[in-house]
Amino acid sequence: MTVTNKPTRAAWLQGPSGRCETVPNGQFLPWRIVLLGAPGVGKGTQADLLNQRLLACHLSTGDVFRAAATRSEGELSPAMKEALGYMRRGELVPDTTVWDLVQERGACLHCAGGFILDGFPRTAAQAVSLKQFLNKDGLGLTAVVTYELPQSEIVARLGGRRTCEKCKAVYHITERSPKVEGRCDHCEGALFQREDDRPEAIKVRLEAYDRSTAPLIEFYRKAGLLLPVSAAGTPEEIYERTVPELEVRRLTQFAEQMWAAAENRRSGL
Ligand code: AP5
């Protein structure tokens, strides 16, 4: 699948100083989606597909850290230097650091084009902060998609992942291999293996997911937002089984909002 017309996401990747060259068009009902799932389940791959078709930006906290890792030491704050250490080891970055950088990018969460959050929230504290932040401005989530896959397949996806050093496109050495080995199909950049895809870091990441992120499934189930989706099959198949369900959620929410507005008018509120 070719990625075309991707928003630059400069405001997300660089923070408040960044200016996006292309801003997604304001939508009648913006998509506000959270993607949950173990590391390597395919959240980033799905976020790219959702971004191309639903036109909401793919906002990944992992991408913010990886973008920071390409800067020189002198450009990084002490908190960011510390965060990159956690990431290399496969551990979660402390909540305060993560929330500070998400909050700095609050404009992205208010963007009229909506958003697809990938890798955030990842702990109960982050989920509560996000909820309070959105509630304050009357913004609700459309849905929280949780991708499900047996652990053995997750480990195989992570171990075979390769990323383009230039455009960051993601491949897999056997499942989604590039046309020329080691080179990106889109920009011919060299493909590399992420530092946290080494076996010892994968183990730490999967443990962190089970301990800190998996409990969010129940949090969002109770909130009536959870949409469990099997992550087996090709990226396209997974996408095709996700989108009709998302459409239903969005239209139901719209009908509920219209109903509540009509009720308020009737009761003179
Ligand atoms: P982050 O970048 O968020 O990594 P992650 O959640 O571990 O997820 P991944 O990017 O590894 O996997 P993915 O699910 O996106 O899978 P992908 O689509 O690439 O976070 C990295 C680190 O940053 C964390 O460990 C932490 O240190 C820190 N961090 C970030 N956010 C944080 C937060 N909120 N709080 C605290 N710390 C935070 O696919 C994987 C592979 O499978 C690819 O090779 C792909 O080509 C292949 N693939 C995808 N779909 C399929 C398919 N259907 N069939 C076959 N292969 C497939």
Side-chain angles (χ1 to χ4, degrees):
M1 168 103 12
T2 315
V3 178
T4 51
N5 296 331
K6 253 185 139 177
T8 51
R9 297 185 298 160
W12 179 256
L13 295 176
Q14 294 159 23
S17 63
R19 289 283 168 272
C20 295
E21 279 165 30
T22 48
V23 177
N25 284 332
Q27 297 194 28
F28 169 55
L29 279 176
W31 294 97
R32 296 195 184 95
I33 301 169
V34 168
L35 304 185
L36 280 183
V41 76
K43 300 181 297 297
T45 304
Q46 290 303 311
D48 268 344
L49 289 176
L50 291 163
N51 160 246
Q52 287 168 50
R53 318 261 175 95
L54 308 182
L55 304 178
C57 259
H58 170 193
L59 306 181
S60 152
T61 36
D63 282 350
V64 174
F65 294 128
R66 282 184 287 279
T70 62
R71 296 194 203 119
S72 65
E73 282 264 315
E75 288 177 90
L76 300 177
S77 66
M80 186 54 90
K81 278 186 205 156
E82 195 195 13
L84 296 182
Y86 283 102
M87 190 177 78
R88 285 186 196 106
R89 293 190 295 275
E91 295 165 20
L92 292 185
V93 175
D95 285 335
T96 45
T97 309
V98 175
W99 181 238
D100 281 350
L101 74 84
V102 171
Q103 234 179 335
E104 271 182 4
R105 291 158 174 80
C108 293
L109 300 182
H110 286 88
C111 179
F115 58 76
I116 301 158
L117 274 174
D118 161 16
F120 177 87
R122 241 178 166 101
T123 65
Q126 292 178 18
V128 170
S129 298
L130 176 67
K131 184 175 173 204
Q132 288 169 349
F133 185 83
L134 294 177
N135 281 358
K136 187 164 52 70
D137 295 313
L139 304 175
L141 292 173
T142 314
V144 176
V145 181
T146 179
Y147 294 108
E148 300 171 337
L149 197 69
Q151 184 153 322
S152 56
E153 290 181 49
I154 287 174
V155 172
R157 284 187 184 178
L158 282 173
R161 172 166 51 195
R162 297 293 181 271
T163 307
C164 172
E165 66 174 12
K166 275 207 242 164
C167 74
K168 312 299 174 209
V170 173
Y171 297 86
H172 189 276
I173 49 175
T174 55
E175 301 293 329
R176 305 183 72 212
S177 52
K179 292 186 191 114
V180 177
E181 196 185 328
R183 288 281 151 196
C184 176
D185 292 350
H186 310 302
C187 69
E188 297 184 358
L191 303 185
F192 71 98
Q193 183 168 34
R194 264 169 53 174
E195 228 178 321
D196 60 351
D197 280 347
R198 288 169 293 108
E200 57 276 26
I202 290 178
K203 185 167 176 288
V204 176
R205 287 161 69 197
L206 290 172
E207 284 167 1
Y209 172 78
D210 284 342
R211 191 175 52 250
S212 305
T213 312
L216 296 188
I217 293 173
E218 205 41 45
F219 177 89
Y220 286 119
R221 196 194 311 279
K222 282 190 182 144
L225 287 166
L226 196 74
L227 175 55
V229 173
S230 161
T234 66
E236 194 65 35
E237 286 166 350
I238 300 161
Y239 173 83
E240 292 299 339
R241 68 173 82 102
T242 311
V243 163
E245 298 279 350
L246 285 175
E247 289 284 6
V248 170
R249 300 289 172 113
R250 187 161 79 140
L251 291 175
T252 308
Q253 281 176 2
F254 179 63
E256 284 168 0
Q257 281 167 17
M258 291 295 103
W259 180 260
E263 281 291 298
N264 286 344
R265 274 198 301 276
R266 255 198 299 276
S267 56
L269 287 176

